[in-house]
Amino acid sequence: GGNNGVTLLAGQIANRDKLSWETGPGRVSANWFGCLTQIPPRGIHGGVGFQGRYDGLASADNAVIGGWDIRSTKLGQALYDCRVLEPDLVRQVREEMDGISIMPGVWDPSFIGESQHETALNVVSGEDDSSTRCRLERIRRDIRQWKEKNNVDGHITVIWSASVERPSEAEYKSADELLEAIYDDSNTDDISPSILYAAAAALEGCSFVNGGSQNTLSAAMTSLFEESYRQPDAPSTSPLSKFAPYSSCPAYCLGTDFKAGQTKFKTAAVEYLRALGLSPRVIASSNHLGNNDMLNLTQKKTLDAKMRVKSDIFGPWQEDDLDHKVTVMYTPYIGDEKRDYVEYTSFGFLSSPHTMVTYTRCMDSILCVPLMVDAAIWCDYFVNHNVSPTDAARATAYLFKVPEGGAKGVDPGFFCQMKELEKVMEKASGKEDDVIAMGLSKGIISEEQANALRALSTM
């Protein structure tokens, strides 16, 4: 029932049914603009979209969408309330959306702002809420039942798009330690709901995407998603055996925090400044909006999690002299329409200052939903093409403010990250090998050179 969730569902229905609706400038039709997996290449040099370039890239029209929410508001009503989409489109999809059931959410009031407590009326309770283990098993059961009810035969991706949690203080060195802590009913570790959703996804063979700012992902969580850990013949002494039956299917753990609007442009803009040979010195940015996510951030405990990732986006560039400041403000009247202002000041020739300013307005959910679509489609494609967890993380680094796992330390520049995606796709599709094979067949390269190129491509 959150803005992202209902906008995603409405968009999928609109595209599936090929709807059109009235707007101020005129009538428009449904499309998947912003979703790189769903739009075709454009222009004589290609680029932009991936649909049609690689066989096996799924259509989001065929996706099955479901989820949890701690609020009980019907989805069509939630779409109407959030005022993200045009009224004429909302009118056409509202009845169908109101008929879709929402699974009660696992929650812990200490992890989110007090502003969210009053509306938390659709939560897991009773025996299913009696311990950390019971909460995890409830989520696993929800996934299995949802999969069976909807006859899902493809890969499932669980996406955290709920309100930002405060950071969890629980730390584990391994997947074994994490599972032991969850299984122990007497344990009082600071385990967040998002950690439980991620662990449940792994045990059910589903990918997990952390679209929020909290510290859900860790080395222990990443290990839980590795196929080598979730082997079907785990010894009886292993903590994993306590959660049998579990899935040994491949799945990915990706994040953290969707890089949708201001931050994505920042990485492209600073990449541009660096390409000019300038030395970025001050980036001062502010953004304000009035949706529920920003309301949740009015509490310091959740704001700290958001500011951690917003401030850390340039880390791998090691720009030690860069003064990067970020301000976020809650302004209820603005609703979901994020407005951001960024001033970039750099040193040019002979340290002369160079300053440029950007101003952006766009519905926050319109920026985030395409990333949710692409994350799920990429996970499906990567699983079907045996892409390694490290390659999957590097390929999807462009989606996140702070790439985790195998993507840690990747170049934060947007266009550099797109090159990582291109490289992984060429490798996964076999086109990279086709080029090497063609070079061999035409005598351009020797077998020894071909083997050297293959070894280089795996580094």
Side-chain angles (χ1 to χ4, degrees):
N3 290 11
N4 288 345
V6 294
T7 303
L8 168 63
L9 183 56
Q12 201 249 3
I13 294 172
N15 277 280
R16 182 199 68 195
D17 294 348
K18 297 179 172 54
L19 299 181
S20 62
W21 56 95
E22 296 293 342
T23 70
R27 195 165 187 84
V28 299
S29 299
N31 59 64
W32 288 108
F33 291 165
C35 305
L36 300 186
T37 61
Q38 301 302 295
I39 58 176
R42 296 202 301 267
I44 60 174
H45 297 295
V48 182
F50 287 82
Q51 189 60 236
R53 288 179 59 190
Y54 299 98
D55 294 335
L57 205 55
S59 168
D61 289 356
N62 301 323
V64 180
I65 301 172
W68 302 265
D69 199 334
I70 62 173
R71 291 175 295 178
S72 57
T73 308
K74 290 184 177 181
L75 297 179
Q77 180 64 43
L79 180 68
Y80 174 82
D81 292 342
C82 74
R83 301 294 198 272
V84 171
L85 301 178
E86 293 287 342
D88 191 29
L89 173 57
V90 175
R91 176 185 58 80
Q92 296 179 64
V93 301
R94 184 172 178 176
E95 183 177 355
E96 178 178 345
M97 289 180 61
D98 274 340
I100 297 174
S101 60
I102 313 166
M103 292 180 281
V106 165
W107 86 309
D108 181 334
S110 74
F111 275 94
I112 55 177
E114 284 75 11
S115 61
Q116 309 301 302
H117 294 183
E118 185 178 349
T119 55
L121 303 174
N122 190 46
V123 298
V124 170
S125 59
E127 181 65 26
D128 288 340
D129 190 42
S130 61
S131 68
T132 303
R133 176 172 57 89
C134 288
R135 296 182 194 106
L136 175 88
E137 292 298 345
R138 169 59 183 264
I139 297 170
R140 294 183 65 190
R141 188 165 70 249
D142 284 345
I143 293 172
R144 291 194 297 269
Q145 291 176 350
W146 178 84
K147 181 178 180 180
E148 181 179 357
K149 177 183 177 182
N150 292 282
N151 298 312
V152 176
D153 57 4
H155 185 69
I156 297 174
T157 298
V158 176
I159 300 176
W160 180 274
S161 184
S163 296
V164 173
E165 297 172 328
R166 65 166 173 80
S168 167
E169 296 177 4
E171 295 184 5
Y172 306 104
K173 296 178 180 178
S174 66
D176 279 355
E177 281 191 12
L178 172 61
L179 291 181
E180 284 283 17
I182 292 174
Y183 189 82
D184 182 2
D185 289 347
S186 64
N187 177 47
T188 58
D189 285 0
D190 194 41
I191 299 176
S192 66
S194 64
I195 289 175
L196 294 179
Y197 278 99
L203 294 170
E204 294 302 316
C206 306
S207 292
F208 180 81
V209 174
N210 181 26
S213 310
Q214 66 278 341
N215 58 344
T216 308
L217 308 191
S218 62
M221 184 64 74
T222 300
S223 297
L224 182 56
F225 277 82
E226 293 176 0
E227 284 182 83
S228 59
Y229 180 80
R230 290 180 292 111
Q231 289 299 307
D233 55 350
S236 58
T237 55
S238 166
L240 180 61
S241 65
K242 299 176 181 178
F243 293 90
Y246 54 84
S247 173
S248 57
C249 293
Y252 304 106
C253 184
L254 305 173
T256 281
D257 199 353
F258 283 131
K259 184 167 64 176
Q262 181 189 73
T263 308
K264 180 170 287 185
F265 188 81
K266 271 186 193 176
T267 58
V270 176
E271 188 176 27
Y272 158 77
L273 293 170
R274 284 163 53 91
L276 291 180
L278 304 182
S279 177
R281 290 306 174 100
V282 178
I283 302 175
S285 65
S286 68
N287 68 70
H288 61 280
L289 67 163
N291 61 15
N292 188 61
D293 188 45
M294 189 59 76
L295 174 61
N296 182 55
L297 295 180
T298 56
Q299 303 292 313
K300 185 180 185 304
K301 63 182 181 182
T302 48
L303 180 62
D304 287 346
K306 173 64 74 173
M307 299 309 289
R308 174 185 71 93
V309 295
K310 273 188 169 290
S311 302
D312 196 33
I313 58 172
F314 302 121
W317 275 336
Q318 298 180 345
E319 290 281 3
D320 297 333
D321 295 325
L322 177 59
D323 184 8
H324 179 210
K325 293 292 192 296
V326 182
T327 302
V328 297
M329 295 170 282
Y330 175 60
T331 51
Y333 174 78
I334 301 301
D336 199 68
E337 188 182 31
K338 177 184 284 187
R339 303 182 183 185
D340 67 62
Y341 176 96
V342 188
E343 182 182 275
Y344 305 82
T345 298
S346 307
F347 277 176
F349 184 55
L350 301 178
S351 296
S352 294
H354 170 287
T355 299
M356 67 180 194
V357 172
T358 60
Y359 174 67
T360 308
R361 289 176 60 175
C362 187
M363 291 295 184
D364 199 36
S365 300
I366 296 299
L367 295 169
C368 282
V369 165
L371 307 189
M372 298 167 68
V373 172
D374 283 349
I377 299 295
W378 289 134
C379 285
D380 175 76
Y381 183 88
F382 293 157
V383 162
N384 291 330
H385 289 77
N386 300 312
V387 173
S388 71
T390 295
D391 279 352
R394 295 182 72 88
T396 55
Y398 79 96
L399 296 171
F400 306 106
K401 293 185 178 73
V402 180
E404 306 263 19
K408 274 189 176 179
V410 299
D411 192 305
F414 175 70
F415 295 103
C416 286
Q417 291 177 348
M418 292 306 296
K419 287 180 182 177
E420 289 283 349
L421 172 60
E422 292 272 2
K423 186 164 61 176
V424 171
M425 290 301 291
E426 290 292 300
K427 181 179 175 181
S429 66
K431 290 185 179 181
E432 183 180 68
D433 291 338
D434 290 346
V435 173
I436 296 174
M438 187 181 299
L440 270 172
S441 66
K442 293 184 178 296
I444 299 172
I445 58 174
S446 66
E447 185 68 45
E448 183 179 356
Q449 289 170 323
N451 290 334
L453 286 171
R454 292 188 184 104
L456 186 64
S457 69
T458 61
M459 292 178 65

